[in-house]
């Protein structure tokens, strides 16, 4: 976050130009850019980002949070705003059905190899299934999340 640029994980293979993920990330960024650049659109962005039954966002941070919270709410409206002020490339050519970009991850054989079926609980903890393993730990399911990468201790 020190540069404001896109994360190398998102910009480079196996993501980047090899999947639609970077385009799906850049398109709503264009909608935000239209608003912050003063290119008419903040009121429309805030309305498009409104969570069903919720209040209209009052700023861009809340708009982004609401789009993430309800990604299938009016994606076409957000996409139309993005087309008005294209700043980030590559971008989507058509509106998605929802703003749910998928990240591709290739394991290294020692860590988390096949993440999938991600869910978040009320506490905000992510529960991720490692699909590369053919068996589940004996303690599964458990109320405590398991670390994807073992803790390492400093040599004594």
């Amino acid at each position: 976050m020190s540069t404001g640029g896109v994360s190398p994980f998102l910009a480079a293979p196996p993501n980047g130009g090899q999947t639609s993920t970077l385009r799906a990330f850049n398109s709503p960024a264009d909608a935000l850019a239209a608003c912050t650049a003063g290119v008419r659109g903040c009121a429309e962005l805030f309305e498009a980002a409104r969570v069903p039954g919720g209040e209209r966002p009052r700023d861009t941070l809340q708009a982004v949070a609401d789009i993430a919270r309800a990604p299938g709410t009016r994606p076409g409206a957000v996409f139309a705003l993005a087309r008005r002020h294209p700043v980030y490339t590559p971008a989507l050519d058509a509106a998605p059905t929802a703003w749910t970009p998928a990240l591709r991850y290739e394991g290294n054989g020692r860590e988390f190899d096949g993440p999938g079926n991600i869910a978040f609980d009320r506490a905000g903890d992510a529960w991720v299934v490692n699909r590369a393993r053919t068996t589940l730990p004996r303690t599964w399911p458990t109320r405590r999340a398991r670390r994807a990468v073992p803790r390492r201790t400093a040599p004594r």
Side-chain angles (χ1 to χ4, degrees), residues 54-70:
E55 293 183 22
R56 183 173 176 250
R58 296 181 184 167
D59 55 41
T60 55
L61 180 61
Q62 187 61 51
V64 170
D66 287 351
I67 290 169
R69 199 172 286 117

Side-chain angles (χ1 to χ4, degrees), residues 10 14-27 90-92 100-102:
L10 183 61
N15 294 295
Q18 295 182 354
T19 66
S20 66
T21 302
L22 183 57
R23 292 186 297 278
F25 182 83
N26 284 340
S27 291
L92 294 173
T100 52

Side-chain angles (χ1 to χ4, degrees), residues 1-128:
M1 288 280 278
S2 62
T3 67
V6 173
S7 161
F9 183 78
L10 183 61
N15 294 295
Q18 295 182 354
T19 66
S20 66
T21 302
L22 183 57
R23 292 186 297 278
F25 182 83
N26 284 340
S27 291
D30 282 340
L32 288 168
C35 172
T36 59
V39 183
R40 293 183 4 246
C42 286
E44 292 171 74
L45 173 65
F46 297 161
E47 188 57 37
R50 181 194 307 239
V51 173
E55 293 183 22
R56 183 173 176 250
R58 296 181 184 167
D59 55 41
T60 55
L61 180 61
Q62 187 61 51
V64 170
D66 287 351
I67 290 169
R69 199 172 286 117
T73 303
R74 297 182 285 284
V78 175
F79 179 77
L81 293 169
R83 300 290 281 206
R84 286 187 193 169
H85 192 70
V87 175
Y88 302 101
T89 57
L92 294 173
D93 294 326
T97 56
W99 296 110
T100 52
L103 291 173
R104 185 171 169 193
Y105 175 79
E106 295 175 352
N108 62 12
R110 295 182 311 273
E111 296 171 352
F112 208 53
D113 294 324
N117 302 332
I118 300 170
F120 294 90
D121 62 21
R122 286 185 199 168
D125 295 324
W127 294 78
V128 183

